[in-house]
Amino acid sequence: MPASPELLAAPALLLQALAGRGLQVATQAPAAPDAAAARPIVNATHLLLPALDTPQQRAAVAHAAAHLLYSRPAQPSATLKPLGLAVVGAVEDARVELLLADTLPGVRTWFDAPLRQVLEAEGLSVHALFSRLALALHDQHYADGNHWIDKARTLFAAARREHGLEDDTAFRRLASVLANDLGQMRVRFDPRLYAVPAPYRDDNSYLWQHGATRETEAQPLPSPITLQAPPADSQAPAIETTMPALAYPEWDYRSGVLRPDWCQLYELRPGAAGASAAPPAAHRPLLPLQRVRPQHGRRLRRQWEGETLDLDAAIEAAVERRLQRAPTGRIFQRPGPQAQPLSLLVLLDLSLSTGERAAGHARSLLEVEQEAALLLARSAQGAGERIALHGFCSDTRAQVRYHRLLDFGEPLDAQAAARLQAQQAAWSTRLGTALRHACALLAAEPAERRALLVLTDGAPADVDVHDARYLVEDARAAVQDAARRGLPVCGLAVDAGAAAYARRIFGAGNYRIAETPDQLPRQLAALHARFSCI
């Protein structure tokens, strides 16, 4: 059960007393079973605490105060690998705690017991080594015997004598040496599952800025960006137009807070770059996506009552009952008036992983995506529907790139096809931000029936996010917000292991899975047919 505001008042007062700064103190939601253990989070305005007992909570507040007093926030992280970030964070944790203890000696005992509780005296795992490192730097009388731990304590003591604890650059240099040693030792490190061993210590996100400046967090996001055109001999598409930066929020499931203006998105319209609109001759083209549009009426599916059963809906209802969930009851179909044209926005994942070729496949997923999207667009426009083809990728929250390849009402000519086929895979998959922007564009479309379809090859991810659940929950919040605005969103994941995250993001019945790229066109046609019956 989350702590009440009254219970959180004491940590807030303690933080004010120790650091001279008042932050809002709140509780976090529990971490997912497959995610790293929850740790406190410190930022410019909040201290977010997981469920901790009173001594651990007191130590957590003191540790946060030490960071606020003695750490430099939002340092650029681009030159460090995840293991390097973890080692620098561990050394910095020890440095600031010792500084605080020098000022307030009684605080030292607050850290002692929590560090000993998590100690793994044996083993060479990351958790074992880091738990012993923390105690060795805290207690000079602790004897370990491990070469790496002893080297860390020797270097730390030397830097303290020569430079003093206030010189953080000296300790960062020794952390780089220790991180290199771990690499030489072939210590396995998974940033998605790593958590600081001591539960009272924060996740060190306060120390780093992944791709943006510190001012980005406290001030409005900048309006324009300047993107350099690629060299003449580059195969990358030229940029015709770059729109001003747009700010979008992001949902933090750990604190239950929608962070306002947290991500910045740039609209890009790539040039054709001389790409051919025809599929490569070396590959057999995909079969056209064909759909016969009724001329005098349609069958309304998934109705509460009607003349006949809707077989697909009835099967889904039976499955829901088998899973002990309540079916909707909308299992009938009946005649209806001619449907108004559909406006469909197809959002393509252009992240780096889509450019990879699976074993036994001649083409990458991106190449199959491009060809299937072209066939779908031709089919939709031939049936009188309006369709837009957009793509996205991301490089941290500071740069989500959104490519408008074919807009509503534009003809699917050779130039539009070339724009799509010139796209190259790059960077990561911050889906929630791209979804929010796509929904904003779709909401402005003057049509009675509108829908959004996402093509992706994996769970949302980005280099500045280490919690595997974080961006999944943000994408889910974006889909739920679209549903409240009357914009249905469906997903097509080309990933045999996509069931868990696809269901979480899009909801039961609103996604399909293609286990291989070859299955994508058929699944895409099925989703298009479903949208046509909305």
Side-chain angles (χ1 to χ4, degrees), residues 134-148:
L135 186 56
L137 300 183
H138 168 80
D139 181 5
Q140 61 180 344
H141 300 295
Y142 167 72
D144 188 90
N146 178 273
H147 172 74
W148 186 77

Side-chain angles (χ1 to χ4, degrees), residues 283-302:
H283 303 294
R284 182 174 56 87
L286 302 172
L287 295 176
L289 302 176
Q290 297 180 352
R291 184 175 58 83
V292 178
R293 186 176 182 84
Q295 299 298 319
H296 304 292
R298 61 170 175 161
R299 304 292 294 177
L300 299 180
R301 303 176 63 242
R302 303 179 186 277

Side-chain angles (χ1 to χ4, degrees), residues 406-496:
L406 177 71
D407 277 329
F408 290 114
E410 285 188 351
L412 186 57
D413 53 17
Q415 185 177 6
R419 281 200 303 267
L420 174 62
Q421 293 185 325
Q423 293 305 294
Q424 297 181 359
W427 295 330
S428 304
T429 320
R430 210 174 196 104
L431 177 58
T433 304
L435 275 174
R436 290 182 177 91
H437 187 62
C439 288
L441 298 175
L442 188 59
E445 174 69 4
E448 177 184 341
R449 300 189 306 128
R450 297 167 295 184
L452 195 155
L453 195 159
V454 179
L455 296 185
T456 186
D457 74 325
D462 211 337
V463 295
D464 60 343
V465 176
H466 302 304
D467 183 345
R469 183 181 168 190
Y470 179 87
L471 291 179
V472 170
E473 294 296 331
D474 174 60
R476 178 172 183 260
V479 169
Q480 291 176 336
D481 182 61
R484 286 190 289 268
R485 300 168 65 181
L487 303 174
V489 180
C490 283
L492 174 53
V494 187
D495 177 7

Side-chain angles (χ1 to χ4, degrees), residues 68-353:
L68 294 173
L69 288 170
Y70 305 116
S71 289
R72 283 190 295 163
Q75 302 171 60
S77 66
T79 60
L80 291 175
K81 296 180 179 180
L83 179 58
L85 294 174
V87 177
V88 173
V91 172
E92 178 69 2
D93 287 341
R95 186 186 74 87
V96 297
E97 286 183 1
L98 290 173
L99 276 170
L100 185 64
D102 286 349
T103 305
L104 302 170
V107 173
R108 179 187 293 272
T109 60
W110 295 4
F111 305 128
D112 190 77
L115 290 176
R116 296 184 189 280
Q117 288 172 3
V118 298
L119 178 67
E120 289 188 28
E122 298 180 354
L124 297 177
S125 68
V126 165
H127 189 277
L129 290 173
F130 277 53
S131 71
R132 289 145 63 190
L133 173 67
L135 186 56
L137 300 183
H138 168 80
D139 181 5
Q140 61 180 344
H141 300 295
Y142 167 72
D144 188 90
N146 178 273
H147 172 74
W148 186 77
I149 301 295
D150 291 343
K151 179 178 180 179
R153 180 154 55 188
T154 300
L155 292 176
F156 191 93
R160 185 174 185 178
R161 286 193 308 270
E162 296 174 15
H163 304 281
L165 289 171
E166 293 79 8
D167 186 357
D168 61 331
T169 58
F171 292 89
R172 176 153 178 182
R173 287 195 296 270
L174 76 87
S176 298
V177 173
L178 296 175
N180 182 69
D181 289 348
L182 285 181
Q184 297 294 325
M185 294 162 59
R186 300 293 190 268
V187 174
R188 183 177 180 182
F189 182 79
D190 187 343
R192 298 171 300 174
L193 302 178
Y194 172 73
V196 178
Y200 77 86
R201 286 184 170 178
D202 69 291
D203 64 355
N204 283 323
S205 58
Y206 177 76
L207 302 177
W208 307 114
Q209 187 69 34
H210 301 279
T213 62
R214 181 65 177 174
E215 289 74 16
T216 301
E217 185 172 330
Q219 299 178 2
L221 296 172
S223 294
I225 63 169
T226 301
L227 294 177
Q228 299 296 328
D233 58 350
S234 171
Q235 296 181 356
I239 301 299
E240 292 181 352
T241 57
T242 302
M243 302 299 291
L246 301 172
Y248 281 98
E250 190 165 85
W251 173 254
D252 186 344
Y253 80 95
R254 299 167 297 187
S255 60
V257 172
L258 185 67
R259 294 174 166 178
D261 297 340
W262 190 250
C263 300
Q264 52 186 338
L265 177 144
Y266 299 98
E267 274 194 1
L268 306 176
R269 189 176 181 84
S276 171
H283 303 294
R284 182 174 56 87
L286 302 172
L287 295 176
L289 302 176
Q290 297 180 352
R291 184 175 58 83
V292 178
R293 186 176 182 84
Q295 299 298 319
H296 304 292
R298 61 170 175 161
R299 304 292 294 177
L300 299 180
R301 303 176 63 242
R302 303 179 186 277
Q303 302 296 302
W304 290 108
E305 57 184 18
E307 299 174 349
T308 58
L309 279 175
D310 181 341
L311 185 57
D312 290 341
I315 292 173
E316 290 177 8
V319 171
E320 292 292 308
R321 282 194 293 270
R322 285 289 186 92
L323 296 175
Q324 296 184 346
R325 291 193 291 260
T328 64
R330 302 168 69 103
I331 60 173
F332 298 97
Q333 58 180 344
R334 59 182 175 83
Q338 175 65 46
Q340 295 297 314
L342 171 70
S343 288
L344 177 64
L345 193 155
V346 181
L347 186 60
L348 306 174
D349 178 356
L350 303 178
S351 62
L352 186 62
S353 57

